[in-house]
C-alpha cells in the first residue's frame, strides 16, 4: 500500500496564557517554530503554515518561519497552506522557496492558492476584480519557472520576462509544489491542467461530498494527459485524553475562531447542534486519540486521499493545549490510523 | 409532465442545485458566464445529466430560473428574456466577490427587491440563499434520504402563485419550505442577520426568523420596520 503522509497545519493563531491573555505576535511566531521542531522530533511527515494578513494570525511570511524551522529540524517537510500566489510575485515565490529548499536540504514545499481571505489584495495593491486572472496568469508563470530553465512569459498582471533565468536552482531540479483548493470545481481542473497535485481544504460538512471532486481531478488529468498525483486534504481538529475534554476545548477554540471569521461575512454564529454535527459527521476531528484516529481512517478510506493534515491550533488555545494535540496526534493517532488502514487493506 | 429548471451560475452553489434538481427528477439546464465548453467537464462529472449551454439559452428555454451567480452580475442578464417567468434568487451580497456596495447592504431594501426591480416583468422569489452549498447537499432529503432531520429553506416573494410554485420546488428538492410575508421580508435572510447560514429544521428556523433582530444588521432592519 502506498504510504499515507500525515501533516500538521497552522495559520499562526495567537496562543493565550493560562489567564486567557494573548501572547504577542512575536511570541506566537516563536511558538510555531517550537511546534515544528516538536513535530519533527515526533516523526510527523509535514508541517504547513498558512499566509494571512489579519489580526487573528501571526504568520504573514510563512517561508521565514519555515526557514527558522529548517535549521532545527531533520526530516519534516516544510510546507505552506497556502501561499497566496494571486497577490504575490511568482518569481519571488519561486526564489523564496528554492532558497528554503537549499537551507532545508530539499525539504521545502510550496502550496499555491487563492486563499480564503482577501486582505492581501488591497495590502499589496491588487484589485479584487482581477481575482481570477491574477491566479490563472501567475500559476501559468509559476509552472514555467518550475522547469528551472530560462523563461519567456507575457501577461497582464506583471512585467513580461524575456529568457529570464531565476536563481537559486534546486538541487533536485524540482521544487515540490501543490495547489490548495476550496470548493471550486474550476480550481481542481486548473491544478490538473498544470499537472500539479491537489490539496483539498475541507473545513465543513461531510468530507465524503468531496468524492466527486476526486473523480473530477482524475477525469481532468485524463483530458489534459497530465500525471495523476495523490490528493491530500486538511481539516480542523483538537485532540485531548478524553472526548469530553477535546469537545470542550474545540468549543472554545475552533468554534470561536470560525464565528469570528464568519462574522465578517455575515454568517450567524455556530449552534451547538451544528458544532456537534461537524464532530460526528462533518469535518472537525475532535476527540480522544482513538476517536480521532477512527474518523481520520474513515475519511482517508472513503475519499482515497494519500495525505491528511490536521489544522491543530485554531482560536486562542494555550501552548500546552496545542502541544498536547501535536503529541497525541504523532504518538497515538497516526500509528492507530496506519493500523486501521493496514487492517482494512488486508481484508 | 417532466419538471424543468434552468440554473444560471455553475459554481459551488449552481453545481449543488443541479445535483439536487436532477436527483429530484427535474430536467436541468445550466450555464456559467461563458461557453458551454468551459463547464462541460465539471458538469459531466459532478452533475451528469444536466444540459450545458449558454446563459442566453438557459434563460430562453426555461420557465423557472435559479440565479446562482454573484449578486453584482445579475444585471448582465437580459431582463426581457425572463418576462413572465419565475425567478428564484439564491444570490447574496458577498463583499469579497462583489466589492463594497452600499445598496446591497441597505436595511430598507432587500437585495432580492433590487433583483425584482431589474427583472420587472418576472416574479422573483428569494430561495436557497441562506444555507451554505455543502449543507444544501448534505441535508437535502432527495440526496440523503436517511437524513434524520429534515431541514427548512425560507422563501420570500410578493406574488402568491409564484411563492406557491417556489414552495413546491423547495419541497421537491428535499426541504421544508418556510414562507415569509413578502419579498421585503427576505431582508431577514441576508448576510448579517442571524438566519444567514441557517441549517435548521422548520420550527428552529421560524424561531430564528422571529428573532432576526438579534444582530446589529437585524436591529437596523427592525428599527425601520417599526417606524
Ligand atoms: N457558496 C454558497 O454556499 C452559497 C450559498 C447560498 C447562496 N450563494 C450565492 O450564490 C451565488 C453563487 O455563489 P457560488 O459560491 O456558487 O460562487 P462561484 O462558485 O464563484 O460561482 C459563480 C458562478 O456564476 C457564474 N457567473 C458569473 N457571472 C455570470 C454571468 N454574467 N452569467 C452567468 N453566469 C455567471 C460563474 O461563471 P464563471 O466561472 O464562468 O465566471 C460561476 O459559474 C452568489 O450570489 C452567492 O452569494 C452561495
Amino acid at each position: 500500500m502506498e504510504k499515507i503522509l500525515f501533516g500538521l497545519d497552522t495559520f499562526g493563531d495567537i496562543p493565550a496564557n493560562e489567564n486567557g491573555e494573548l501572547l504577542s505576535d512575536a511570541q506566537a511566531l516563536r511558538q510555531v517554530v517550537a511546534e515544528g521542531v516538536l513535530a519533527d522530533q515526533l516523526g510527523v511527515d509535514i508541517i504547513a503554515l498558512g499566509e494571512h494578513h489579519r489580526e487573528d494570525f501571526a504568520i504573514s511570511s510563512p517561508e521565514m518561519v519555515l526557514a527558522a524551522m529548517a535549521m532545527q529540524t531533520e526530516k519534516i517537510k516544510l510546507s505552506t497552506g497556502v501561499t497566496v500566489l494571486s497577490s504575490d510575485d511568482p518569481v519571488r515565490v519561486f526564489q523564496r522557496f528554492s532558497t528554503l529548499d537549499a537551507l532545508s536540504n530539499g525539504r521545502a514545499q510550496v502550496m499555491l492558492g487563492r486563499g480564503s481571505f482577501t486582505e492581501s489584495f488591497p495590502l499589496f495593491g491588487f484589485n479584487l476584480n482581477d481575482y481570477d486572472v491574477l491566479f490563472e496568469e501567475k500559476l501559468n508563470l509559476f509552472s514555467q519557472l518550475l522547469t528551472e530553465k530560462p523563461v519567456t512569459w507575457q501577461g497582464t498582471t506583471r512585467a513580461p520576462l524575456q529568457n529570464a533565468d531565476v536563481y537559486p536552482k534546486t538541487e533536485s531540479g524540482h521544487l515540490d509544489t501543490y495547489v490548495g483548493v476550496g470548493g471550486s470545481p474550476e480550481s481542481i481542473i486548473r491544478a490538473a491542467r498544470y499537472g500539479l497535485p491537489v490539496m483539498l481544504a475541507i473545513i465543513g460538512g461531510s468530507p465524503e461530498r468531496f468524492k466527486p471532486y476526486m473523480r473530477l481531478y482524475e477525469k481532468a488529468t485524463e483530458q489534459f494527459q497530465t500525471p495523476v498525483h495523490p490528493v491530500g486534504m486538511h481539516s480542523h481538529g483538537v485532540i485531548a485524553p478524553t472526548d469530553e475534554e477535546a469537545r470542550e476545548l474545540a468549543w472554545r477554540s475552533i468554534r470561536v475562531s470560525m464565528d469570528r471569521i464568519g462574522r465578517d461575512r455575515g454568517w450567524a454564529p455556530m449552534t451547538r447542534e451544528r458544532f456537534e454535527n461537524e464532530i460526528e459527521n462533518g469535518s472537525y476531528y475532535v476527540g480522544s486519540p482513538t476517536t480521532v484516529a477512527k474518523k481520520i481512517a474513515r475519511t482517508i478510506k472513503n475519499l482515497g486521499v494519500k495525505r491528511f493534515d490536521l489544522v491543530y491550533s485554531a482560536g486562542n488555545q494555550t501552548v500546552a493545549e496545542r502541544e498536547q494535540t501535536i503529541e497525541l496526534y504523532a504518538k497515538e493517532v497516526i500509528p492507530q490510523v496506519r493500523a486501521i488502514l493496514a487492517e482494512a487493506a488486508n481484508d | 409532465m417532466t419538471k424543468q429548471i434552468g440554473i444560471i451560475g455553475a459554481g459551488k452553489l449552481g453545481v449543488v442545485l443541479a445535483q439536487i434538481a436532477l436527483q429530484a427528477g427535474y430536467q436541468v439546464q445550466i450555464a456559467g458566464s461563458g461557453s458551454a465548453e468551459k463547464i462541460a467537464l465539471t458538469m459531466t462529472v459532478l452533475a451528469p445529466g444536466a444540459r450545458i449551454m449558454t446563459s442566453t439559452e438557459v434563460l430562453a428555454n426555461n420557465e423557472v430560473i435559479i440565479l446562482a451567480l454573484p449578486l453584482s452580475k445579475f444585471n448582465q442578464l437580459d431582463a426581457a428574456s425572463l418576462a413572465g417567468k419565475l425567478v428564484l434568487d439564491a444570490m447574496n451580497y458577498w463583499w469579497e466577490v462583489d466589492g463594497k456596495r452600499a445598496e446591497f447592504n441597505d436595511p430598507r431594501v432587500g437585495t432580492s427587491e433590487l433583483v425584482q426591480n431589474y427583472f420587472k416583468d418576472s416574479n422573483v422569489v428569494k430561495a436557497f440563499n441562506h444555507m451554505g452549498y455543502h449543507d444544501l447537499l448534505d441535508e437535502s432529503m432527495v440526496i440523503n434520504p436517511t437524513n434524520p432531520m429534515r431541514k427548512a429553506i425560507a422563501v420570500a416573494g410578493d406574488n402568491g402563485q409564484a411563492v406557491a410554485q417556489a414552495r413546491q420546488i423547495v419541497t421537491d428538492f428535499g426541504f421544508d419550505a418556510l414562507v415569509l410575508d413578502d419579498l421585503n421580508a427576505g431582508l431577514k435572510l441576508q448576510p448579517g442577520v442571524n438566519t444567514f447560514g441557517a441549517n435548521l429544521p422548520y420550527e428552529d428556523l421560524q424561531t430564528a426568523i422571529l428573532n432576526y433582530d438579534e444582530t446589529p444588521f437585524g436591529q437596523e432592519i427592525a428599527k425601520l420596520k417599526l417606524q
Side-chain angles (χ1 to χ4, degrees), chain A residues 132 183-186 267, chain B residues 8-15 31-35 38-39 55 67-74 76-77 89-94 97-98 128-134 136 196:
Chain A
D132 289 322
S184 163
E186 200 51 47
W267 288 96
Chain B
I8 302 292
K12 295 181 283 287
L13 181 68
V15 167
S33 70
S35 65
K38 219 177 111 191
I39 57 170
S55 64
L67 300 183
L69 71 166
L71 182 63
S72 51
K73 301 282 172 66
F74 72 79
Q76 294 179 355
L77 304 175
D89 173 19
M91 299 180 293
N92 293 304
Y93 173 39
W94 204 251
V97 174
D98 300 313
F128 298 113
N129 82 296
H130 63 75
M131 196 183 278
Y133 75 103
H134 51 76
L136 279 165
F196 189 65

Short mmCIF file of all heavy atoms in Angstrom, two decimals, chain A residues 132 183-186 267, chain B residues 8-15 31-35 38-39 55 67-74 76-77 89-94 97-98 128-134 136 196, ligand 1:
data_model
loop_
_atom_site.label_atom_id
_atom_site.label_comp_id
_atom_site.label_asym_id
_atom_site.label_seq_id
_atom_site.Cartn_x
_atom_site.Cartn_y
_atom_site.Cartn_z
N ASP A 132 -9.65 36.27 -10.60
CA ASP A 132 -9.44 35.07 -11.42
C ASP A 132 -8.20 35.15 -12.29
O ASP A 132 -7.39 34.24 -12.34
CB ASP A 132 -10.67 34.80 -12.30
CG ASP A 132 -11.85 34.32 -11.47
OD1 ASP A 132 -11.61 33.55 -10.51
OD2 ASP A 132 -12.98 34.72 -11.76
N GLY A 183 -13.77 24.87 -2.47
CA GLY A 183 -14.90 24.13 -3.00
C GLY A 183 -15.11 24.29 -4.49
O GLY A 183 -16.09 23.79 -5.04
N SER A 184 -14.19 24.99 -5.16
CA SER A 184 -14.48 25.35 -6.55
C SER A 184 -14.00 24.28 -7.53
O SER A 184 -12.80 24.00 -7.60
CB SER A 184 -13.82 26.70 -6.85
OG SER A 184 -13.76 26.87 -8.24
N PRO A 185 -14.92 23.70 -8.30
CA PRO A 185 -14.52 22.68 -9.26
C PRO A 185 -13.50 23.20 -10.27
O PRO A 185 -12.60 22.48 -10.68
CB PRO A 185 -15.83 22.29 -9.97
CG PRO A 185 -16.91 23.13 -9.40
CD PRO A 185 -16.37 23.95 -8.28
N GLU A 186 -13.64 24.47 -10.61
CA GLU A 186 -12.73 25.10 -11.56
C GLU A 186 -11.27 24.98 -11.09
O GLU A 186 -10.36 24.77 -11.88
CB GLU A 186 -13.14 26.58 -11.69
CG GLU A 186 -12.66 27.30 -12.92
CD GLU A 186 -12.97 26.55 -14.21
OE1 GLU A 186 -14.13 26.08 -14.39
OE2 GLU A 186 -12.05 26.43 -15.02
N TRP A 267 -22.16 35.66 8.57
CA TRP A 267 -22.73 34.37 8.96
C TRP A 267 -23.21 34.40 10.40
O TRP A 267 -22.58 35.02 11.26
CB TRP A 267 -21.68 33.25 8.87
CG TRP A 267 -21.35 32.86 7.47
CD1 TRP A 267 -20.30 33.31 6.74
CD2 TRP A 267 -22.08 31.96 6.63
NE1 TRP A 267 -20.34 32.74 5.49
CE2 TRP A 267 -21.40 31.92 5.40
CE3 TRP A 267 -23.24 31.19 6.81
CZ2 TRP A 267 -21.84 31.13 4.33
CZ3 TRP A 267 -23.67 30.41 5.75
CH2 TRP A 267 -22.99 30.39 4.53
N ILE B 8 -28.57 29.56 -13.59
CA ILE B 8 -27.55 30.49 -14.08
C ILE B 8 -26.46 30.56 -13.02
O ILE B 8 -26.70 31.00 -11.89
CB ILE B 8 -28.13 31.90 -14.33
CG1 ILE B 8 -29.29 31.85 -15.33
CG2 ILE B 8 -27.03 32.84 -14.79
CD1 ILE B 8 -28.88 31.49 -16.74
N GLY B 9 -25.26 30.15 -13.41
CA GLY B 9 -24.14 30.06 -12.46
C GLY B 9 -23.82 28.59 -12.25
O GLY B 9 -24.69 27.81 -11.84
N ALA B 10 -22.62 28.20 -12.58
CA ALA B 10 -22.22 26.79 -12.43
C ALA B 10 -21.03 26.70 -11.49
O ALA B 10 -20.10 25.94 -11.70
CB ALA B 10 -21.88 26.20 -13.80
N GLY B 11 -21.09 27.49 -10.42
CA GLY B 11 -20.04 27.44 -9.41
C GLY B 11 -20.45 26.50 -8.28
O GLY B 11 -21.15 25.51 -8.51
N LYS B 12 -20.04 26.84 -7.08
CA LYS B 12 -20.29 25.95 -5.94
C LYS B 12 -21.79 25.72 -5.75
O LYS B 12 -22.25 24.58 -5.65
CB LYS B 12 -19.67 26.56 -4.67
CG LYS B 12 -18.14 26.65 -4.76
CD LYS B 12 -17.53 27.23 -3.50
CE LYS B 12 -17.66 28.73 -3.39
NZ LYS B 12 -16.79 29.49 -4.30
N LEU B 13 -22.56 26.81 -5.72
CA LEU B 13 -23.99 26.66 -5.48
C LEU B 13 -24.71 26.07 -6.69
O LEU B 13 -25.53 25.16 -6.54
CB LEU B 13 -24.61 28.01 -5.11
CG LEU B 13 -26.11 27.93 -4.80
CD1 LEU B 13 -26.36 27.15 -3.53
CD2 LEU B 13 -26.73 29.32 -4.71
N GLY B 14 -24.41 26.57 -7.87
CA GLY B 14 -25.10 26.10 -9.07
C GLY B 14 -24.94 24.60 -9.27
O GLY B 14 -25.91 23.90 -9.62
N VAL B 15 -23.74 24.09 -9.04
CA VAL B 15 -23.50 22.66 -9.21
C VAL B 15 -24.33 21.85 -8.21
O VAL B 15 -24.97 20.86 -8.57
CB VAL B 15 -21.99 22.33 -9.06
CG1 VAL B 15 -21.78 20.83 -8.91
CG2 VAL B 15 -21.20 22.86 -10.24
N ALA B 31 -25.84 27.09 -17.01
CA ALA B 31 -24.83 27.90 -17.72
C ALA B 31 -23.95 28.65 -16.74
O ALA B 31 -24.39 29.02 -15.65
CB ALA B 31 -25.54 28.92 -18.62
N GLY B 32 -22.71 28.85 -17.13
CA GLY B 32 -21.82 29.77 -16.40
C GLY B 32 -21.77 31.08 -17.15
O GLY B 32 -22.70 31.39 -17.90
N SER B 33 -20.69 31.81 -16.98
CA SER B 33 -20.63 33.12 -17.65
C SER B 33 -20.23 32.99 -19.11
O SER B 33 -20.45 33.88 -19.90
CB SER B 33 -19.64 34.03 -16.92
OG SER B 33 -18.33 33.56 -17.13
N GLY B 34 -19.62 31.85 -19.45
CA GLY B 34 -19.10 31.75 -20.81
C GLY B 34 -19.72 30.64 -21.63
O GLY B 34 -20.91 30.37 -21.53
N SER B 35 -18.88 29.98 -22.39
CA SER B 35 -19.35 28.94 -23.28
C SER B 35 -19.71 27.68 -22.50
O SER B 35 -19.28 27.50 -21.36
CB SER B 35 -18.25 28.59 -24.28
OG SER B 35 -17.15 28.03 -23.58
N LYS B 38 -16.71 25.47 -21.44
CA LYS B 38 -15.92 25.82 -20.27
C LYS B 38 -16.33 25.02 -19.03
O LYS B 38 -15.51 24.74 -18.16
CB LYS B 38 -16.08 27.32 -20.00
CG LYS B 38 -14.81 28.01 -19.55
CD LYS B 38 -15.02 29.51 -19.38
CE LYS B 38 -14.94 29.91 -17.92
NZ LYS B 38 -15.37 31.26 -17.64
N ILE B 39 -17.61 24.69 -18.93
CA ILE B 39 -18.07 24.00 -17.73
C ILE B 39 -18.39 22.52 -18.00
O ILE B 39 -18.86 21.81 -17.12
CB ILE B 39 -19.31 24.68 -17.11
CG1 ILE B 39 -20.46 24.77 -18.12
CG2 ILE B 39 -18.96 26.06 -16.58
CD1 ILE B 39 -21.77 25.22 -17.50
N SER B 55 -25.86 31.08 -21.06
CA SER B 55 -26.90 31.63 -20.20
C SER B 55 -28.06 32.17 -21.04
O SER B 55 -29.22 32.08 -20.63
CB SER B 55 -26.33 32.70 -19.27
OG SER B 55 -25.85 33.79 -20.00
N LEU B 67 -31.17 31.87 -9.99
CA LEU B 67 -29.99 32.72 -10.14
C LEU B 67 -28.96 32.31 -9.09
O LEU B 67 -29.17 32.50 -7.90
CB LEU B 67 -30.35 34.19 -9.98
CG LEU B 67 -31.37 34.73 -10.99
CD1 LEU B 67 -31.60 36.23 -10.78
CD2 LEU B 67 -30.91 34.47 -12.44
N ALA B 68 -27.85 31.73 -9.54
CA ALA B 68 -26.78 31.28 -8.65
C ALA B 68 -25.45 31.85 -9.14
O ALA B 68 -24.46 31.14 -9.27
CB ALA B 68 -26.74 29.75 -8.60
N LEU B 69 -25.49 33.14 -9.44
CA LEU B 69 -24.27 33.83 -9.88
C LEU B 69 -23.98 34.96 -8.88
O LEU B 69 -24.81 35.24 -8.03
CB LEU B 69 -24.43 34.37 -11.31
CG LEU B 69 -25.36 35.55 -11.57
CD1 LEU B 69 -25.10 36.11 -12.96
CD2 LEU B 69 -26.82 35.19 -11.42
N PRO B 70 -22.81 35.57 -8.93
CA PRO B 70 -22.54 36.67 -8.00
C PRO B 70 -23.58 37.77 -8.13
O PRO B 70 -24.00 38.11 -9.24
CB PRO B 70 -21.15 37.16 -8.43
CG PRO B 70 -20.52 35.98 -9.10
CD PRO B 70 -21.64 35.26 -9.78
N LEU B 71 -23.99 38.33 -6.99
CA LEU B 71 -25.04 39.34 -6.98
C LEU B 71 -24.71 40.53 -7.89
O LEU B 71 -25.57 41.08 -8.56
CB LEU B 71 -25.27 39.81 -5.53
CG LEU B 71 -26.37 40.83 -5.30
CD1 LEU B 71 -27.74 40.26 -5.68
CD2 LEU B 71 -26.38 41.29 -3.84
N SER B 72 -23.44 40.90 -7.91
CA SER B 72 -23.05 42.06 -8.70
C SER B 72 -23.15 41.82 -10.21
O SER B 72 -22.93 42.72 -11.00
CB SER B 72 -21.61 42.48 -8.36
OG SER B 72 -20.76 41.35 -8.43
N LYS B 73 -23.53 40.59 -10.58
CA LYS B 73 -23.54 40.26 -12.02
C LYS B 73 -24.95 40.10 -12.60
O LYS B 73 -25.08 39.91 -13.80
CB LYS B 73 -22.78 38.94 -12.26
CG LYS B 73 -21.32 38.96 -11.80
CD LYS B 73 -20.45 39.70 -12.81
CE LYS B 73 -19.04 39.93 -12.34
NZ LYS B 73 -18.26 38.71 -12.15
N PHE B 74 -26.01 40.18 -11.74
CA PHE B 74 -27.32 39.82 -12.30
C PHE B 74 -27.75 40.76 -13.41
O PHE B 74 -28.47 40.37 -14.32
CB PHE B 74 -28.39 39.71 -11.19
CG PHE B 74 -28.83 41.01 -10.58
CD1 PHE B 74 -29.74 41.83 -11.24
CD2 PHE B 74 -28.36 41.41 -9.34
CE1 PHE B 74 -30.15 43.04 -10.67
CE2 PHE B 74 -28.77 42.60 -8.77
CZ PHE B 74 -29.67 43.42 -9.44
N GLN B 76 -26.16 41.69 -15.79
CA GLN B 76 -25.61 41.31 -17.10
C GLN B 76 -26.59 40.42 -17.86
O GLN B 76 -26.39 40.12 -19.03
CB GLN B 76 -24.28 40.56 -16.92
CG GLN B 76 -23.18 41.44 -16.33
CD GLN B 76 -21.88 40.68 -16.12
OE1 GLN B 76 -21.81 39.47 -16.34
NE2 GLN B 76 -20.84 41.39 -15.70
N LEU B 77 -27.63 39.95 -17.15
CA LEU B 77 -28.60 39.08 -17.82
C LEU B 77 -29.68 39.93 -18.47
O LEU B 77 -30.01 41.02 -17.99
CB LEU B 77 -29.23 38.13 -16.79
CG LEU B 77 -28.25 37.26 -15.98
CD1 LEU B 77 -29.00 36.47 -14.93
CD2 LEU B 77 -27.46 36.34 -16.90
N ASP B 89 -34.24 33.61 -6.62
CA ASP B 89 -33.00 34.36 -6.37
C ASP B 89 -32.26 33.74 -5.18
O ASP B 89 -32.68 33.88 -4.04
CB ASP B 89 -33.35 35.82 -6.09
CG ASP B 89 -32.13 36.62 -5.67
OD1 ASP B 89 -30.99 36.15 -5.92
OD2 ASP B 89 -32.31 37.70 -5.09
N ALA B 90 -31.13 33.09 -5.47
CA ALA B 90 -30.32 32.47 -4.41
C ALA B 90 -29.08 33.30 -4.11
O ALA B 90 -28.20 32.87 -3.38
CB ALA B 90 -29.91 31.07 -4.84
N MET B 91 -29.04 34.53 -4.65
CA MET B 91 -27.79 35.31 -4.56
C MET B 91 -27.70 36.09 -3.25
O MET B 91 -28.70 36.55 -2.71
CB MET B 91 -27.72 36.31 -5.72
CG MET B 91 -27.73 35.65 -7.09
SD MET B 91 -27.64 36.88 -8.42
CE MET B 91 -29.22 37.70 -8.25
N ASN B 92 -26.50 36.25 -2.78
CA ASN B 92 -26.24 37.07 -1.60
C ASN B 92 -25.14 38.07 -1.90
O ASN B 92 -24.28 37.84 -2.74
CB ASN B 92 -25.77 36.19 -0.44
CG ASN B 92 -26.86 35.27 0.04
OD1 ASN B 92 -27.94 35.72 0.40
ND2 ASN B 92 -26.58 33.98 0.04
N TYR B 93 -25.16 39.13 -1.10
CA TYR B 93 -24.08 40.12 -1.16
C TYR B 93 -22.87 39.54 -0.45
O TYR B 93 -22.91 39.20 0.73
CB TYR B 93 -24.55 41.41 -0.49
CG TYR B 93 -23.47 42.45 -0.34
CD1 TYR B 93 -22.54 42.66 -1.35
CD2 TYR B 93 -23.40 43.23 0.80
CE1 TYR B 93 -21.55 43.63 -1.21
CE2 TYR B 93 -22.42 44.20 0.95
CZ TYR B 93 -21.49 44.40 -0.05
OH TYR B 93 -20.52 45.35 0.09
N TRP B 94 -21.81 39.39 -1.19
CA TRP B 94 -20.56 38.84 -0.64
C TRP B 94 -19.49 39.83 -1.03
O TRP B 94 -19.03 39.85 -2.17
CB TRP B 94 -20.33 37.47 -1.29
CG TRP B 94 -19.49 36.51 -0.52
CD1 TRP B 94 -18.23 36.12 -0.84
CD2 TRP B 94 -19.85 35.83 0.67
NE1 TRP B 94 -17.78 35.23 0.11
CE2 TRP B 94 -18.76 35.03 1.05
CE3 TRP B 94 -21.00 35.83 1.49
CZ2 TRP B 94 -18.76 34.24 2.19
CZ3 TRP B 94 -21.00 35.03 2.61
CH2 TRP B 94 -19.89 34.24 2.94
N VAL B 97 -16.43 39.25 -3.17
CA VAL B 97 -16.61 38.98 -4.60
C VAL B 97 -17.23 40.20 -5.30
O VAL B 97 -16.82 40.57 -6.39
CB VAL B 97 -17.55 37.75 -4.79
CG1 VAL B 97 -17.87 37.56 -6.26
CG2 VAL B 97 -16.91 36.51 -4.21
N ASP B 98 -18.21 40.80 -4.64
CA ASP B 98 -18.99 41.85 -5.28
C ASP B 98 -18.39 43.25 -5.13
O ASP B 98 -18.85 44.18 -5.77
CB ASP B 98 -20.42 41.86 -4.71
CG ASP B 98 -21.11 40.52 -4.95
OD1 ASP B 98 -21.05 40.03 -6.10
OD2 ASP B 98 -21.71 39.96 -4.01
N PHE B 128 -33.24 29.46 -1.34
CA PHE B 128 -31.95 28.74 -1.35
C PHE B 128 -30.75 29.65 -1.08
O PHE B 128 -29.64 29.34 -1.47
CB PHE B 128 -31.73 28.02 -2.70
CG PHE B 128 -32.76 26.98 -3.00
CD1 PHE B 128 -33.65 27.16 -4.05
CD2 PHE B 128 -32.85 25.82 -2.23
CE1 PHE B 128 -34.61 26.19 -4.33
CE2 PHE B 128 -33.80 24.85 -2.51
CZ PHE B 128 -34.69 25.04 -3.56
N ASN B 129 -30.98 30.80 -0.44
CA ASN B 129 -29.84 31.70 -0.23
C ASN B 129 -29.15 31.51 1.11
O ASN B 129 -27.98 31.82 1.26
CB ASN B 129 -30.27 33.16 -0.35
CG ASN B 129 -30.89 33.64 0.96
OD1 ASN B 129 -31.93 33.13 1.39
ND2 ASN B 129 -30.24 34.58 1.62
N HIS B 130 -29.92 31.04 2.12
CA HIS B 130 -29.37 31.18 3.48
C HIS B 130 -28.57 29.97 3.94
O HIS B 130 -27.95 30.01 4.99
CB HIS B 130 -30.48 31.51 4.49
CG HIS B 130 -31.52 30.43 4.64
ND1 HIS B 130 -31.29 29.27 5.34
CD2 HIS B 130 -32.79 30.35 4.18
CE1 HIS B 130 -32.39 28.53 5.30
NE2 HIS B 130 -33.31 29.15 4.60
N MET B 131 -28.59 28.90 3.17
CA MET B 131 -27.86 27.70 3.60
C MET B 131 -26.61 27.53 2.74
O MET B 131 -26.65 27.71 1.53
CB MET B 131 -28.77 26.47 3.45
CG MET B 131 -28.26 25.26 4.22
SD MET B 131 -29.28 23.79 3.96
CE MET B 131 -30.61 24.05 5.12
N GLY B 132 -25.49 27.20 3.37
CA GLY B 132 -24.24 27.01 2.64
C GLY B 132 -24.38 25.87 1.63
O GLY B 132 -25.18 24.96 1.82
N TYR B 133 -23.60 25.94 0.58
CA TYR B 133 -23.79 24.97 -0.50
C TYR B 133 -23.54 23.53 -0.06
O TYR B 133 -24.22 22.61 -0.51
CB TYR B 133 -22.94 25.33 -1.72
CG TYR B 133 -21.46 25.03 -1.57
CD1 TYR B 133 -20.89 23.92 -2.20
CD2 TYR B 133 -20.63 25.85 -0.82
CE1 TYR B 133 -19.54 23.64 -2.06
CE2 TYR B 133 -19.28 25.57 -0.69
CZ TYR B 133 -18.74 24.46 -1.31
OH TYR B 133 -17.42 24.17 -1.17
N HIS B 134 -22.58 23.33 0.84
CA HIS B 134 -22.37 21.93 1.21
C HIS B 134 -23.44 21.43 2.17
O HIS B 134 -23.78 20.27 2.17
CB HIS B 134 -20.94 21.67 1.72
CG HIS B 134 -20.46 22.58 2.79
ND1 HIS B 134 -20.87 22.46 4.08
CD2 HIS B 134 -19.58 23.61 2.74
CE1 HIS B 134 -20.25 23.39 4.81
NE2 HIS B 134 -19.48 24.10 4.02
N LEU B 136 -26.55 22.34 1.85
CA LEU B 136 -27.67 22.02 0.96
C LEU B 136 -27.55 20.58 0.46
O LEU B 136 -28.51 19.82 0.44
CB LEU B 136 -27.68 22.97 -0.24
CG LEU B 136 -28.30 24.35 0.00
CD1 LEU B 136 -27.94 25.30 -1.12
CD2 LEU B 136 -29.82 24.25 0.14
N PHE B 196 -28.59 33.87 8.60
CA PHE B 196 -27.72 33.65 7.45
C PHE B 196 -26.74 32.52 7.74
O PHE B 196 -25.94 32.62 8.67
CB PHE B 196 -26.99 34.93 7.05
CG PHE B 196 -26.25 34.77 5.76
CD1 PHE B 196 -26.95 34.56 4.58
CD2 PHE B 196 -24.88 34.78 5.72
CE1 PHE B 196 -26.29 34.38 3.38
CE2 PHE B 196 -24.20 34.60 4.52
CZ PHE B 196 -24.91 34.40 3.36
N1 LIG C 1 -21.49 29.18 -1.89
C1 LIG C 1 -22.55 29.08 -1.12
O1 LIG C 1 -22.54 28.34 -0.14
C2 LIG C 1 -23.78 29.87 -1.42
C3 LIG C 1 -24.95 29.57 -0.73
C4 LIG C 1 -26.09 30.31 -0.97
C5 LIG C 1 -26.05 31.33 -1.91
N2 LIG C 1 -24.88 31.60 -2.57
C6 LIG C 1 -24.89 32.67 -3.58
O2 LIG C 1 -24.89 32.05 -4.85
C7 LIG C 1 -24.18 32.84 -5.80
C8 LIG C 1 -23.07 32.00 -6.41
O3 LIG C 1 -22.16 31.61 -5.37
P1 LIG C 1 -21.06 30.49 -5.56
O4 LIG C 1 -20.47 30.27 -4.23
O5 LIG C 1 -21.63 29.37 -6.30
O6 LIG C 1 -19.99 31.27 -6.46
P2 LIG C 1 -18.94 30.68 -7.51
O7 LIG C 1 -18.54 29.33 -7.10
O8 LIG C 1 -17.94 31.74 -7.68
O9 LIG C 1 -19.79 30.54 -8.85
C9 LIG C 1 -20.32 31.64 -9.53
C10 LIG C 1 -20.84 31.17 -10.88
O10 LIG C 1 -21.52 32.26 -11.51
C11 LIG C 1 -21.08 32.33 -12.86
N3 LIG C 1 -21.26 33.66 -13.42
C12 LIG C 1 -20.58 34.80 -13.15
N4 LIG C 1 -21.05 35.80 -13.91
C13 LIG C 1 -22.02 35.29 -14.69
C14 LIG C 1 -22.86 35.81 -15.69
N5 LIG C 1 -22.81 37.10 -16.02
N6 LIG C 1 -23.73 34.98 -16.30
C15 LIG C 1 -23.80 33.68 -15.97
N7 LIG C 1 -23.04 33.13 -15.01
C16 LIG C 1 -22.16 33.92 -14.38
C17 LIG C 1 -19.63 31.93 -12.78
O11 LIG C 1 -19.19 31.55 -14.06
P3 LIG C 1 -17.65 31.76 -14.49
O12 LIG C 1 -16.83 30.84 -13.67
O13 LIG C 1 -17.70 31.38 -15.93
O14 LIG C 1 -17.34 33.20 -14.24
C18 LIG C 1 -19.74 30.75 -11.84
O15 LIG C 1 -20.16 29.59 -12.51
C19 LIG C 1 -23.67 34.04 -5.04
O16 LIG C 1 -24.57 35.12 -5.20
C20 LIG C 1 -23.68 33.57 -3.60
O17 LIG C 1 -23.82 34.62 -2.69
C21 LIG C 1 -23.76 30.88 -2.36
#
